[in-house]
Amino acid sequence: MSELTFAAGVWRYVAAAAVVALAVVYALDFTRRRRALERIGHLPTLRRMMPALSEERRTVKAVLRVAGIALVLLALARPQLPGEKKWKKRGIDVAVVMDYSKSMLAKDVPPSRVERMEREVVALLDDERLQNDRVAVVVFAGAAAHFPLTHDHEAAKLLFEGLTPLEMPPGSDLGEALRRARCIVRPDLLDDPSCERVGGRGRGGAPLTGDADEQHDDLPTDQLGVERARAIVVFTDGEDTEGHAREEVARAAELGIDVLFVGVGTPEGEMIPEYDPDSSGPLFRRDVIGWKKTPDGKSFVFTRLEEGALRELAAVAGGDDHYLRLDPKQIHVDAIADRLERLKVGDLDERLVAIPREVYQWLLFPGFVLLWIEAVMTDRRRRRRK
């Protein structure tokens, strides 16, 4: 019983105080009764004249009542004994890749491509079908930064919270983003030369919480076998200035990583707005001062959803079902979540967790029994009939 603990320990003090208070009350009551009888006459003589009254029974009733109340109050303190239970969390590893190149400022998908993409990613991370999945986030333009795998989806959102394409380097290196995502969801391959500089925190990444870092770095490699499903979901308009995304998709497919592309934008396209460099805050609060022009300054830059290029990448990843276009009118993550849910589900983590075992019934039932006995018990002796 040395391991006995109380979940609501304050009730222990309430029980102790109740015992002391009741003991004092009964002691004063017995003293008052004895003194009242002594004022009437000789106490032994009075007791012989009233044989039905039993001081012993009154004492027993008082003890039963105090003990019963004490046990009930102790039961309210929720006594517990330690126990062990195997806990297993099931799910998949998902890397969400987000395009923050300047072309994502276009407003052919209202309010803009980048803002529409962020809303879709937030809805995806909040979807209950992904709650048991570990999620990593990769943002890219001319360079990439990432947040490691974590069960804490709210923490993963910190990487792109308040981020705009205006803070990212120019260009659109989709291949580099896919390389990082591949190395993140397969940390057992971090010794691969192609995964250089891809660790728990990520080069140039946003500040991380300790919890997220631990969940990535401390996971034993023997739990990262190929039996668990992994996926990469890429939100992009398809522009790739470096041109090595195809080989990264092929490499991911060879490793058993399911790559899904989500096209953001419209085939008709839109011009790219330019914002006042002195303004700050969210995009909708910044002042548009014009439209981006070509280097010679003679024409405006027009950006379109590169749907053909994305379909080619989807074919390398596994087929046409690896591509879908973002609905420009409403948040709709069902198609993405359903696709991820169809993947093979493995064990993300397994551990022994101490689960306290409630034993309040050991005190509550005896307490009620004592109170019931006290209630049916009389303080008078039974007189035998002749």
Side-chain angles (χ1 to χ4, degrees), residues 29-218:
D29 181 62
F30 288 160
T31 302
R32 180 184 62 81
R33 285 176 175 272
R34 187 181 68 253
R35 289 179 178 176
L37 290 174
E38 288 176 346
R39 286 196 298 268
I40 296 174
H42 187 244
L43 188 58
T45 304
L46 290 175
R47 286 178 177 175
R48 286 195 298 269
M49 295 173 61
M50 297 181 293
L53 293 180
S54 175
E55 291 295 327
E56 293 78 9
R57 282 176 171 265
R58 292 181 59 84
T59 303
V60 171
K61 281 176 62 69
V63 171
L64 290 176
R65 182 177 297 175
V66 172
I69 292 175
L71 289 176
V72 171
L73 292 177
L74 283 176
L76 293 177
R78 292 179 57 197
Q80 298 174 336
L81 290 175
E84 282 191 348
K85 179 181 179 181
K86 181 177 287 190
W87 175 83
K88 189 179 288 185
K89 195 162 188 176
R90 301 181 65 84
I92 62 176
D93 287 347
V94 183
V96 179
V97 178
M98 304 173 67
D99 188 349
Y100 275 84
S101 58
K102 298 297 187 293
S103 61
M104 294 293 287
L105 293 170
K107 299 184 177 183
D108 52 347
V109 177
S112 67
R113 292 180 184 178
V114 64
E115 292 171 288
R116 184 67 183 78
M117 172 188 67
E118 289 178 346
R119 294 177 185 179
E120 193 79 14
V121 171
V122 169
L124 180 64
L125 296 182
D126 290 340
D127 193 284
E128 62 180 8
R129 285 166 288 186
L130 272 70
Q131 294 311 300
N132 286 336
D133 299 337
R134 287 190 311 189
V135 175
V137 175
V138 179
V139 297
F140 77 96
H146 70 271
F147 194 102
L149 287 170
T150 176
H151 291 127
D152 189 349
H153 296 184
E154 294 299 321
K157 297 175 188 176
L158 294 176
L159 183 59
F160 61 89
E161 184 178 341
L163 182 66
T164 71
L166 303 177
E167 285 81 47
M168 297 292 286
S172 181
D173 195 347
L174 179 57
E176 170 62 14
L178 287 168
R179 181 186 74 87
R180 285 188 180 245
R182 166 174 60 84
C183 295
I184 291 170
V185 298
R186 287 297 301 269
D188 52 324
L189 301 177
L190 289 181
D191 293 336
D192 189 323
S194 66
C195 290
E196 287 184 23
R197 297 178 298 176
V198 180
R201 293 185 177 273
R203 192 174 181 85
L208 309 179
T209 64
D211 177 62
D213 202 24
E214 291 171 4
Q215 291 187 46
H216 181 278
D217 294 338
D218 295 344

Side-chain angles (χ1 to χ4, degrees), residues 222-239:
D222 60 354
Q223 292 186 20
L224 302 172
V226 296
E227 78 283 351
R228 189 169 71 250
R230 300 169 179 84
I232 300 174
V233 182
V234 184
F235 291 83
T236 179
D237 57 13
E239 292 190 6

